[in-house]
Amino acid sequence: MRIDKFLKVSRLIKRRALAKDVTDSERILVNNRVVKPSYQVKVGDLISIIFGTKTIVVRVLKIDNSTKKEDATSMYEFVQEIKEEV
């Protein structure tokens, strides 16, 4: 599954178009590498999402093509949150 679709289905980012834009702006890293929206996510990947002064890191646990809102968090586990001081 593409990274932009994974971010949308897992509800880490609300819309796929937004996920694509964030990925194009090099604010998504997988295993500490900048990736393109077409990157194929694999179980075990560490995804870092840069939100302004905050970065969250999650590990991919499973890949589903669609999921209910309640089950979305089962697709990943929260690893770390990094806050940048201004």
Side-chain angles (χ1 to χ4, degrees), residues 1-23 28 37 41 47 49 51 58 63-73 75-76:
M1 173 183 295
R2 291 170 52 112
I3 185 80
D4 56 348
K5 184 172 182 186
F6 178 83
L7 293 170
K8 187 246 183 228
V9 171
S10 66
R11 290 173 171 75
L12 286 164
I13 295 182
K14 203 170 219 172
R15 294 182 317 271
R16 187 168 179 179
L18 180 59
K20 181 183 180 312
D21 291 344
V22 171
T23 308
I28 303 291
V41 176
I47 300 174
I49 307 168
F51 294 105
V58 298
I63 299 170
D64 292 330
N65 286 324
S66 65
T67 186
K68 294 180 182 175
K69 184 178 182 179
E70 307 83 44
D71 301 331
T73 56
M75 293 180 67
Y76 62 89

Side-chain angles (χ1 to χ4, degrees), residues 25-41:
S25 341
E26 300 184 347
R27 294 180 8 214
I28 303 291
L29 289 82
V30 177
N31 302 323
N32 293 320
R33 288 186 22 239
V34 174
V35 294
K36 296 185 178 196
S38 60
Y39 175 83
Q40 294 294 313
V41 176

